[in-house]
Amino acid sequence: MQQGEMLKGKRALVTGSTSGIGLAVARALREEGADIILNGLGDQDEIDTLAEELGARYEGANLLDPAAIEAMMEAVGPVDILVNNAGMQHVSPVEDFPPAKWDAVIALNLTAAFHTVRLAVPGMKAKGWGRIINTASAHSTAASPFKSAYVASKHAVAGFTKTIALELAQSGVTANCISPGYVWTPLVEGQIPDTMAARGLSREEVINDVLLAKQPTKKFVQPEEVGALAVFLCREEAGNVTGANWSIDGGWTAE
Ligand code: NAD
């Protein structure tokens, strides 16, 4: 991989980077020279291959467990760039929504970011430089039926990000959300069967009439496009970009 110099010497922890958007963000940061710490679940052989490709360290913490997050942050030490990206979805009418699923979605999509941020901020403040990027979603400002926990968690991540941006405003540390529309990843593929059931639709109808119907471009967002936006937020020139929620959603939330 050809490597730039822009983020040389910066250490970047990207949660949920064994797949999908997080992996694309990790690759994009690596291409600019950052040292990557991968996190996420999955097949260990595949993860080892990714870690080798990126020259990365891997931390397998299960982010549903605050003690595991603390152990990971302790093991990793200070980071310059923190990308809270791990996330999960569950699709169900609210009256049937399993309470354990609600708890898991909130724990992973919201509470895990609180823990990594509270543990990373002292190191960033000490250096007078830091970048916190939270992968929110178009669902941080708009809702869709049957995704109550996810929409609640992503709205909360947007509010959390604005709050820490204000707290950190004079410290050299920025905090922003990236809010993709639909990106074709295992997370989206995995919700198709439940969406078919909840709405009584075929697979093709879910893709075209539910997912792409939201996006005026009629195209899925590409993971690499999200990676490029994350790189921009890490640039020196983005030092005054903080507390923002960056849509990358093919026009979804413009409507
Ligand atoms: P994905 O399923 O491809 O990746 C999710 C990542 O999180 C994987 O690396 C997985 O191993 C990791 N993960 C899951 N549970 C974990 C746990 N308990 N502990 C540690 N890691 C865990 O999904 P994706 O689509 O790339 O989603 C990444 C983020 O982007 C999520 O926060 C998601 O909500 C958000 N997002 C996705 C889309 C989309 O259309 N795909 C749109 C908007 C926002």
Side-chain angles (χ1 to χ4, degrees):
M1 181 186 292
Q2 228 187 0
Q3 218 172 287
E5 300 274 306
M6 203 252 294
L7 298 177
K8 205 169 160 59
K10 305 285 192 209
R11 304 181 72 234
L13 168 62
V14 185
T15 71
S17 49
T18 53
S19 166
I21 293 170
L23 177 55
V25 168
R27 283 194 169 119
L29 297 177
R30 181 62 185 159
E31 279 171 26
E32 296 297 336
D35 293 320
I36 303 298
I37 300 143
L38 293 172
N39 159 260
L41 312 177
D43 177 82
Q44 194 57 50
D45 287 343
E46 285 174 25
I47 292 171
D48 290 346
T49 306
L50 286 177
E52 201 179 335
E53 174 204 337
L54 294 168
R57 168 181 180 151
Y58 168 68
E59 288 289 331
N62 184 330
L63 304 184
L64 292 171
D65 175 5
I69 299 175
E70 288 195 9
M72 172 178 74
M73 298 305 284
E74 171 91 33
V76 160
V79 295
D80 305 285
I81 299 166
L82 170 64
V83 183
N84 287 303
N85 167 83
M88 64 185 289
Q89 173 65 281
H90 187 76
V91 178
S92 166
V94 70
E95 65 271 31
D96 300 330
F97 213 97
K101 282 284 181 201
W102 172 279
D103 287 345
V105 171
I106 300 294
L108 183 62
N109 296 9
L110 174 62
T111 309
F114 158 68
H115 288 298
T116 56
V117 164
R118 77 180 170 82
L119 295 164
V121 156
M124 291 179 174
K125 276 182 160 174
K127 284 192 186 174
W129 197 94
R131 295 286 186 265
I132 297 169
I133 300 171
N134 295 328
T135 310
S137 167
H139 283 122
S140 70
T141 57
S144 296
F146 313 121
K147 297 183 176 179
S148 52
Y150 187 86
V151 172
S153 73
K154 296 297 186 179
H155 275 62
V157 162
F160 174 63
T161 308
K162 288 198 283 189
T163 306
I164 59 173
L166 295 180
E167 291 182 28
L168 298 169
Q170 295 180 25
S171 67
V173 181
T174 68
N176 294 285
C177 285
I178 290 180
S179 283
Y182 284 110
V183 188
W184 190 259
T185 68
L187 181 141
V188 166
E189 202 162 2
Q191 64 188 269
I192 287 181
D194 285 342
T195 307
M196 289 165 64
R199 293 179 183 249
L201 297 174
S202 71
R203 179 182 167 84
E204 286 63 38
E205 285 169 332
V206 169
I207 291 173
N208 293 312
D209 303 345
V210 178
L211 305 183
L212 291 180
K214 293 278 191 194
Q215 299 192 175
T217 53
K218 302 295 169 214
K219 284 186 196 148
F220 286 102
V221 177
Q222 299 303 309
E224 296 73 23
E225 295 168 345
V226 183
L229 184 47
V231 167
F232 168 71
L233 291 172
C234 292
R235 296 184 70 94
E236 292 306 322
E237 295 91 326
N240 268 309
V241 179
T242 195
N245 188 346
W246 285 69
S247 295
I248 176 164
D249 63 7
W252 171 348
T253 52
E255 285 193 318

